Amino acid sequence: MRVTLGQLAVRHGCELRGDPDLVVDRVATLQRAAPGTLSFLANAQYRRHLATTAATAVVLGRDDAADCPVACLVSSNPYLTYARMAAELHPEAPLAAGVSAAASVAADAVVPASCEVAPGVVIGAGTRLGARCAIGANTVIGKRCVIGDDTRIMAGVVLYDGVRVGERCLIHAGVVLGADGFGIARDARGAWTKVPQVGSVQVGNDVEIGAKTTIDRGAIDDTVIGDGVKLDNQIQIGHNAVIGNHTAIAGLAGVAGSTRVGERCIIGGDVAIAGHLVIADDVVISGSSKVTHSLEKAGIYSGVLPTEDARQWRRSAVRFGQLDDIARRLQRLETLLGRKEGKEP
Amino acid sequence: MRVTLGQLAVRHGCELRGDPDLVVDRVATLQRAAPGTLSFLANAQYRRHLATTAATAVVLGRDDAADCPVACLVSSNPYLTYARMAAELHPEAPLAAGVSAAASVAADAVVPASCEVAPGVVIGAGTRLGARCAIGANTVIGKRCVIGDDTRIMAGVVLYDGVRVGERCLIHAGVVLGADGFGIARDARGAWTKVPQVGSVQVGNDVEIGAKTTIDRGAIDDTVIGDGVKLDNQIQIGHNAVIGNHTAIAGLAGVAGSTRVGERCIIGGDVAIAGHLVIADDVVISGSSKVTHSLEKAGIYSGVLPTEDARQWRRSAVRFGQLDDIARRLQRLETLLGRKEGKEP
Amino acid sequence: MRVTLGQLAVRHGCELRGDPDLVVDRVATLQRAAPGTLSFLANAQYRRHLATTAATAVVLGRDDAADCPVACLVSSNPYLTYARMAAELHPEAPLAAGVSAAASVAADAVVPASCEVAPGVVIGAGTRLGARCAIGANTVIGKRCVIGDDTRIMAGVVLYDGVRVGERCLIHAGVVLGADGFGIARDARGAWTKVPQVGSVQVGNDVEIGAKTTIDRGAIDDTVIGDGVKLDNQIQIGHNAVIGNHTAIAGLAGVAGSTRVGERCIIGGDVAIAGHLVIADDVVISGSSKVTHSLEKAGIYSGVLPTEDARQWRRSAVRFGQLDDIARRLQRLETLLGRKEGKEP
């Protein structure tokens, strides 16, 4: 899509410093930009590439504008402004409406004519798609599912029976929604009996779910993903978890069963949150943290050990197991010294 | 399914306190129960919802019976009793026997007439299914596989050639059984040569495998999953691992190659167990623990740091790297004080 | 495949101690070997099985040769030599060239007659396969992809539009290449806007990618996997990451966005590497380490706490949060004692 800097500035409410008639038709990084591209600066780590960029224009914050060698679009939130301009330059391909002859759609499923259904798709009885949905190749949608308008499901996704997904969602390849939660009860001999998982999964509007993420159906009530939630790849959400509106979770993280995560939380990659906890609204948890108790106040939480030289690490790790002993010995020392101090004039 | 409390009490060997003619037809949580539902109390965290429940009956332990405002079924293991009653109230849908016209089944594969094979299923040459198997849409079963009676495989599963699965198993969407183990040999220049993975995977009876879990084929001998094992979602089991009977593993955990996990172990979510270890029978490992050495005795093991306020965490993490130094300085102090103490009258 | 020990010794440049006319036709572990098998000893942990092996021959290092009760093939790198001999004894099945009638291949896709395309495969417009590719059942390859000669893609894989894969690669079941990276920009109210992900994924030659691994497409430039890289199962590689040639990464690991990993690195299972870092060539990171800063020199790094008895662990974990306090108190003590020491004659 070709657009002038003047058009971008007006539509996105930016100050333009430069020629409004210059044209851009795609995005580029500062380092690899060529004429005709729009770039952005939102992370200080990349500021060193600004002086030499060959972009036609750069979206950036006020403080960086003076250092920009080319035209710039000044924004108080340059990453957000860039995101919107990039979406304008790179619009999604339009749907190719219609159902592939190589799809298997149940006779009573509702598939509006505006939907695109790819080869190998299987749609079960009683399922209803909204308008303008796109269903990728070899995706399987069970019985009695409901999918909202304008939702796109990529290839190789599986929705179990009864799953409900909202409008304008984007579900990436390999996602599984609604598999049984891990509910098992143990008998006296140590053998397990399956606990039937009769709830379902409810996904709100404007949700994105990354490749291979799994969200289990509820044991009794539903597992709930709020509006505007963004999940990265290979996340596991346990049965009856609730993820609040506009919360974002990075890859490889896990939220165990019955935990309630608040709204607008930001949860880093590889974070594990134990079951039956409550995480407040506006909590930020840094990557690889392991959360074993509820976090009742908004704030930034962290719990991961940085990587050390392996030899020093092994020494420290050994000492870690002695910490309780160390602290007790220190206490003894202090008491002892205190007594001695007291005796001395 | 409609059933009276009297019938439930008799069939499941419970004491009934209440009217045996009351009818329940589905399960509910204590909080959301309505008349006609059966609920349960097995986790003390939810006891506060007992007094106000609108369930028709509650399965619970003897100590909670007096506080129950409605009929109750008293059990020494209420969660197990609930699991069995829930299975009675919510029976699985019967199979729709037959092979879909949109499935691709090798001419010499054995598929009994009692099996249900969904659209898009691919079954390779020489594979044999037992009676009453259900194979979900777009699942791929390789050549020379053997599947036992009454096993259900959900949608989008892949079994590589030669994998064997027992009876009454439940394999969830997106599982991969029998991909090559991670066997690579390094040459002097640092390049890798693949080590052929010629073993297979053997899954016992009554095993449940969660969505997206992967179990690699053995390098030479087989990878073995024992009877009654329960695996949650997104678990990785390396080549030649052996998981003992009735062991349960929660989501996102990993067991590296050639490790032998005992029987009746309970392994938490996000646990990582290194390769070539032995884990004894009846070991419990709490969530997010990282196991780097064999655990030779039954017991409860743990190895994860709880999440702290981020600023305090960073201070502590810095100190963690100084722990060896701290311990040595403390020792020096104690020796010094000891000498001084000895000198003092 | 049947082969004599003499042939193996000559072709693989080994010293043979034993009868060159003995024949082997498959591999076996030392413990389970039977006559006719070739075994190997490369890990000291398994040396105890050498004395009683029933293998016809064993590949091993010079130091173990004297203890070998049967014929042996002496190598300075027995695991590598074994890998090559095993590949000779267990050659891959030849391709069954041709496109299944149950595949959906775009009219303008290029699929050479030497390729094998299984049932349920979907190949998009403008995609080109090299010679002798094998595409497994129900795999989906998007539009404008390029796959090199002799690459095998197993069942249920998804390649998004525009992904490029080199020659002689092996991509296991359930892999997703080219899903959108996790690029989201936040507005003042805490809601997220998607950042278009317009880059792609470039995979080099001789790469193996394990089951269920996901590699995201770049935000602007491509995500790049170098030649000879070996990735295990369930790994997540973020957008714009670069993995250097001949680096190996074990299962469940994650590399976050824009991180550059060097060449010939060995990264253990469950390792998490944060985003925007640089990892030098020849870095080794032990399993479950969490890497939060760049590692600028070759070396061995580690950052994981071993598993402890649960009670001791809880005590230590409590003390861990007090470490800063402990260190300060210790410092005070030392200062105090130093003053006192100075005062004493």
Side-chain angles (χ1 to χ4, degrees):
Chain A
M1 184 73 66
R2 289 169 58 85
V3 61
T4 67
L5 300 186
Q7 290 170 315
L8 286 176
V10 168
R11 286 183 204 149
H12 299 279
C14 293
E15 177 194 345
L16 169 64
R17 301 193 186 174
D19 178 353
D21 293 332
L22 287 172
V23 170
V24 290
D25 66 357
R26 64 193 191 283
V27 298
T29 54
L30 290 171
Q31 307 96 290
R32 303 210 177 173
T37 63
L38 175 73
S39 192
F40 73 103
L41 173 58
N43 177 337
Q45 196 176 340
Y46 298 104
R47 186 172 290 132
R48 61 201 153 93
H49 299 300
L50 183 60
T52 56
T53 191
T56 289
V58 179
V59 184
L60 40 62
R62 190 159 304 278
D63 293 349
D64 291 313
D67 299 328
C68 186
V70 296
C72 62
L73 292 145
V74 180
S75 165
S76 60
N77 187 340
Y79 194 45
L80 178 62
T81 300
Y82 163 76
R84 291 171 175 161
M85 292 179 176
E88 190 174 335
L89 289 167
H90 298 268
E92 281 163 31
L95 293 192
V99 176
S100 164
S104 300
V105 180
D108 69 348
V110 175
V111 179
S114 57
C115 292
E116 172 178 347
V117 177
V121 168
V122 178
I123 299 180
T127 284
R128 287 183 289 123
L129 305 191
R132 298 168 305 276
C133 287
I135 312 296
N138 290 342
T139 279
V140 176
I141 302 180
K143 298 169 181 164
R144 299 175 303 280
C145 294
V146 179
I147 313 290
D149 293 347
D150 299 299
T151 281
R152 288 173 293 149
I153 301 182
M154 307 303 289
V157 171
V158 176
L159 271 63
Y160 278 58
D161 295 347
V163 169
R164 294 184 302 286
V165 176
E167 303 182 350
R168 297 173 304 278
C169 291
L170 174 55
I171 299 181
H172 281 287
V175 164
V176 175
L177 302 183
D180 286 349
F182 198 53
I184 50 177
R186 211 177 192 206
D187 70 19
R189 296 166 304 119
W192 299 99
T193 293
K194 181 179 180 65
V195 179
Q197 303 290 301
V198 305
S200 187
V201 173
Q202 236 179 281
V203 175
N205 297 323
D206 302 299
V207 171
E208 182 165 353
I209 303 179
K212 300 286 167 202
T213 282
T214 49
I215 304 177
D216 280 347
R217 67 192 313 110
I220 297 179
D221 296 329
D222 290 348
T223 303
V224 178
I225 310 297
D227 291 339
V229 167
K230 307 295 177 183
L231 302 179
D232 194 3
N233 296 358
Q234 303 210 34
I235 291 168
Q236 153 67 3
I237 307 286
H239 51 180
N240 297 107
V242 176
I243 309 295
N245 297 341
H246 306 298
T247 280
I249 306 182
L252 297 172
V255 177
S258 299
T259 284
R260 301 179 70 90
V261 176
E263 304 197 349
R264 296 173 306 278
C265 292
I266 301 179
I267 297 177
D270 190 41
V271 166
I273 305 182
H276 298 277
L277 304 183
V278 176
I279 308 297
D281 292 345
D282 300 300
V283 158
V284 176
I285 303 176
S286 64
S288 293
S289 295
K290 308 304 176 184
V291 182
T292 56
H293 52 270
S294 290
L295 301 174
E296 290 163 8
K297 289 191 310 189
I300 301 176
Y301 296 85
S302 184
V304 60
L305 293 173
T307 306
E308 310 280 346
D309 166 80
R311 208 179 327 159
Q312 187 193 341
W313 172 268
R314 277 193 299 269
R315 279 202 304 261
S316 294
V318 168
R319 293 295 188 193
F320 186 82
Q322 304 170 355
L323 258 184
D324 193 46
D325 180 53
I326 287 171
R328 285 174 194 278
R329 285 156 62 200
L330 188 62
Q331 180 95 57
R332 209 152 49 216
L333 257 189
E334 288 179 318
T335 309
L336 220 150
L337 266 184
R339 245 190 297 134
K340 287 165 60 186
E341 292 259 311
K343 280 178 189 166
E344 285 180 17
Chain B
M1 184 72 67
R2 289 169 57 85
V3 61
T4 67
L5 298 187
Q7 290 170 317
L8 286 176
V10 169
R11 285 183 205 148
H12 298 281
C14 292
E15 177 193 344
L16 169 64
R17 301 194 185 173
D19 178 353
D21 292 332
L22 287 172
V23 170
V24 290
D25 65 359
R26 63 194 191 282
V27 297
T29 54
L30 289 171
Q31 306 98 289
R32 302 210 177 175
T37 63
L38 176 73
S39 192
F40 73 103
L41 172 58
N43 178 337
Q45 197 176 339
Y46 298 104
R47 186 172 290 133
R48 61 201 154 95
H49 299 300
L50 183 60
T52 56
T53 191
T56 289
V58 179
V59 184
L60 40 62
R62 190 160 304 276
D63 293 349
D64 292 313
D67 300 329
C68 187
V70 297
C72 63
L73 292 145
V74 180
S75 164
S76 59
N77 187 340
Y79 195 45
L80 179 62
T81 299
Y82 164 76
R84 291 172 176 160
M85 291 179 177
E88 190 175 335
L89 289 167
H90 298 268
E92 281 163 31
L95 294 192
V99 176
S100 163
S104 300
V105 180
D108 68 349
V110 175
V111 179
S114 57
C115 292
E116 173 178 348
V117 177
V121 168
V122 179
I123 299 180
T127 285
R128 288 183 288 122
L129 305 192
R132 298 168 304 276
C133 287
I135 312 297
N138 289 341
T139 279
V140 176
I141 301 180
K143 299 169 181 165
R144 299 175 303 280
C145 293
V146 179
I147 314 289
D149 293 347
D150 299 297
T151 281
R152 285 174 294 150
I153 301 182
M154 307 304 288
V157 171
V158 176
L159 271 62
Y160 278 58
D161 295 347
V163 168
R164 294 185 302 287
V165 176
E167 303 182 350
R168 297 173 303 280
C169 292
L170 174 55
I171 300 182
H172 281 286
V175 164
V176 175
L177 302 184
D180 285 349
F182 198 53
I184 51 178
R186 210 176 192 207
D187 70 19
R189 296 166 304 118
W192 300 98
T193 293
K194 182 179 178 64
V195 179
Q197 303 290 301
V198 304
S200 187
V201 173
Q202 236 178 279
V203 175
N205 297 323
D206 302 298
V207 172
E208 183 165 352
I209 303 179
K212 300 286 167 202
T213 282
T214 51
I215 303 177
D216 280 347
R217 66 192 314 111
I220 297 178
D221 298 328
D222 291 347
T223 303
V224 178
I225 309 297
D227 291 338
V229 167
K230 306 296 176 183
L231 303 178
D232 195 3
N233 296 359
Q234 302 210 35
I235 290 168
Q236 152 67 4
I237 306 287
H239 51 180
N240 297 107
V242 175
I243 309 295
N245 297 342
H246 307 296
T247 280
I249 306 183
L252 298 171
V255 177
S258 298
T259 283
R260 302 179 69 90
V261 176
E263 304 196 349
R264 295 173 306 279
C265 293
I266 300 178
I267 297 177
D270 189 41
V271 166
I273 304 182
H276 298 277
L277 303 183
V278 175
I279 308 297
D281 292 346
D282 300 300
V283 159
V284 176
I285 303 177
S286 64
S288 292
S289 296
K290 308 304 177 184
V291 182
T292 57
H293 52 269
S294 291
L295 301 174
E296 289 163 10
K297 289 191 310 189
I300 302 175
Y301 296 84
S302 184
V304 60
L305 292 173
T307 306
E308 309 280 345
D309 165 82
R311 207 178 329 157
Q312 187 193 343
W313 172 268
R314 277 193 297 271
R315 280 202 303 262
S316 293
V318 169
R319 294 295 189 193
F320 186 82
Q322 304 169 355
L323 259 183
D324 194 44
D325 181 53
I326 287 171
R328 285 174 194 280
R329 284 155 64 200
L330 188 62
Q331 180 94 58
R332 209 152 50 216
L333 259 189
E334 289 180 318
T335 308
L336 220 150
L337 266 185
R339 247 190 296 133
K340 286 165 61 187
E341 291 258 311
K343 280 177 189 168
E344 285 179 16
Chain C
M1 184 72 67
R2 289 168 58 85
V3 59
T4 67
L5 299 186
Q7 290 169 317
L8 286 176
V10 168
R11 286 182 205 149
H12 299 280
C14 292
E15 177 194 345
L16 169 64
R17 302 192 186 173
D19 178 353
D21 292 332
L22 287 172
V23 171
V24 290
D25 65 358
R26 64 193 190 282
V27 298
T29 54
L30 289 172
Q31 307 97 290
R32 302 210 177 174
T37 63
L38 176 74
S39 192
F40 73 104
L41 173 58
N43 177 338
Q45 196 175 341
Y46 298 103
R47 187 172 289 132
R48 62 201 154 94
H49 299 299
L50 183 59
T52 55
T53 192
T56 290
V58 179
V59 185
L60 40 61
R62 190 159 305 276
D63 293 349
D64 291 314
D67 299 328
C68 187
V70 297
C72 63
L73 292 145
V74 179
S75 164
S76 60
N77 187 341
Y79 194 46
L80 178 62
T81 300
Y82 163 76
R84 291 172 175 159
M85 291 179 176
E88 190 174 335
L89 289 167
H90 297 268
E92 280 163 30
L95 294 192
V99 176
S100 164
S104 300
V105 180
D108 68 348
V110 176
V111 179
S114 57
C115 292
E116 173 178 347
V117 177
V121 168
V122 178
I123 299 181
T127 284
R128 287 183 288 121
L129 305 193
R132 299 168 304 277
C133 288
I135 312 296
N138 289 342
T139 279
V140 176
I141 302 180
K143 298 169 181 165
R144 299 174 304 280
C145 293
V146 179
I147 313 289
D149 294 347
D150 299 298
T151 281
R152 287 174 293 150
I153 301 181
M154 308 304 288
V157 171
V158 176
L159 271 62
Y160 278 58
D161 295 347
V163 168
R164 295 184 302 287
V165 176
E167 304 182 349
R168 297 173 304 279
C169 291
L170 174 55
I171 300 181
H172 282 285
V175 164
V176 175
L177 302 183
D180 285 350
F182 198 52
I184 51 178
R186 211 177 192 207
D187 70 19
R189 297 168 302 120
W192 300 99
T193 293
K194 181 178 179 66
V195 179
Q197 303 290 303
V198 305
S200 186
V201 173
Q202 237 178 278
V203 175
N205 298 322
D206 302 299
V207 171
E208 182 166 352
I209 303 179
K212 301 284 167 201
T213 282
T214 51
I215 304 178
D216 280 347
R217 66 193 313 112
I220 298 178
D221 297 329
D222 291 347
T223 303
V224 178
I225 309 297
D227 291 339
V229 167
K230 306 295 175 182
L231 302 179
D232 195 2
N233 296 359
Q234 302 210 35
I235 290 169
Q236 153 67 4
I237 306 286
H239 51 179
N240 297 108
V242 175
I243 309 296
N245 297 340
H246 306 298
T247 281
I249 306 183
L252 299 171
V255 177
S258 298
T259 283
R260 302 180 68 91
V261 176
E263 304 197 349
R264 297 173 305 279
C265 293
I266 301 178
I267 297 177
D270 189 42
V271 166
I273 305 182
H276 298 278
L277 304 183
V278 175
I279 308 297
D281 293 345
D282 300 300
V283 158
V284 176
I285 303 177
S286 64
S288 293
S289 295
K290 307 305 177 183
V291 182
T292 57
H293 52 269
S294 290
L295 301 174
E296 289 164 10
K297 290 192 309 189
I300 303 176
Y301 295 85
S302 184
V304 61
L305 293 173
T307 306
E308 310 280 346
D309 165 81
R311 208 179 327 161
Q312 188 193 341
W313 172 267
R314 277 193 298 271
R315 278 202 303 263
S316 294
V318 169
R319 294 295 188 193
F320 187 82
Q322 305 169 353
L323 258 184
D324 193 46
D325 180 54
I326 288 172
R328 285 173 194 281
R329 285 156 62 201
L330 188 63
Q331 180 94 57
R332 210 153 49 217
L333 257 190
E334 289 179 319
T335 309
L336 220 150
L337 265 184
R339 246 190 299 131
K340 286 166 59 186
E341 292 258 311
K343 281 178 189 167
E344 286 179 13

